[in-house]
Structure formats: C-alpha cells, structure tokens
Amino acid sequence: MGKGSKGGERASTRCEDELQHFLNQIMSLYQEDPKMKILFYLAELGKPASIRKIARNVRMSHKNVIKHVNALERANLVQVAYRQSNLTLYRLSDNVRLRTLSFMNCTLHNVTLSDPSSP
C-alpha cells in the first residue's frame, strides 16, 4: 500500500502543480485586462470612486475608464453609488462585491503565495 500511496501522492502533487501553473498564467492575462483592473481596484478600495480616481489609480485615460465602466455597468458588475450634478461615484454591484473580494482574498493570495516562481 505504501507504493500506491506514494505514486498517488506524486500524481496529485503534479496535478496540483500543473493547475497552479495554469491559474498563474490565466491570472497574469486577466491582470492586464482594463475591465479587470477596474474591478480589482474597486474591490480593493472597498468604497465608491469617481472616474477620475479610478483612472488615476489604474493608470488609464479618463475616456477609456468611462468606456470600460459603462460596459461593466451594462454587465451588472458595477453600479452607481452616488450621483449629483457633476459627480458620479461607482462601486462594485452588490451581486459581485462579495464574490470578487472572496476571489481576490482567497484564490489570488493562495495561488501567488504558493507559487515557487513568485518573488
């Protein structure tokens, strides 16, 4: 039984390593996606933000942030938290806020921390 469990453990570890490598590749792609940058920023911030503040922190033009926030709003991922004459603040919508935070706090940290190639 010792031989079988060793081989099973090695196969399991190899599968976990392959899965981890795959997840790291996927995350590196998504980290560069403008919409994901906005979602991650709003999730990390934890409070509503203006287009100007989002643009400054995700290092995108004001015009591009408007375009991406509008698309995220149509997809029900972002919603208006506050609107007054010349100020609109956006936040993650209620249905994704907890999922995004959970995803960021658990999955991303676990993948990054357990990746031997990460600094």
Side-chain angles (χ1 to χ4, degrees):
M1 189 161 166
K3 271 187 171 181
S5 64
K6 277 188 178 180
E9 288 175 20
R10 275 191 237 132
S12 175
T13 302
R14 187 172 46 244
C15 289
E16 289 172 8
D17 290 345
E18 289 174 11
L19 176 61
Q20 192 168 41
H21 179 70
F22 175 72
L23 289 174
N24 286 337
Q25 288 178 318
I26 296 298
M27 288 313 304
S28 68
L29 291 173
Y30 279 118
Q31 288 172 346
E32 296 305 313
D33 180 77
K35 290 175 187 67
M36 292 301 289
K37 283 182 178 182
I38 293 168
L39 288 174
F40 286 145
Y41 172 70
L42 289 173
E44 287 175 358
L45 184 62
K47 61 183 181 179
S50 66
I51 294 291
R52 177 172 285 140
K53 185 172 185 174
I54 296 167
R56 183 176 46 243
N57 286 283
V58 298
R59 298 178 185 207
M60 289 171 44
S61 73
H62 185 264
K63 188 175 181 176
N64 278 336
V65 170
I66 290 171
K67 178 180 80 171
H68 293 300
V69 165
N70 286 338
L72 291 167
E73 193 173 11
R74 285 190 303 274
N76 294 318
L77 298 173
V78 168
Q79 66 187 47
V80 172
Y82 174 83
R83 187 184 312 256
Q84 197 171 12
S85 60
N86 64 344
L87 177 65
T88 303
L89 301 178
Y90 296 89
R91 67 178 175 95
L92 292 180
S93 63
D94 292 332
N95 62 339
V96 297
R97 187 174 23 184
L98 293 176
R99 289 183 185 141
T100 304
L101 287 171
S102 175
F103 176 72
M104 287 175 58
N105 289 331
C106 296
T107 307
L108 291 178
H109 287 298
N110 289 340
V111 168
T112 304
L113 291 176
S114 60
D115 180 13
S117 65
S118 67

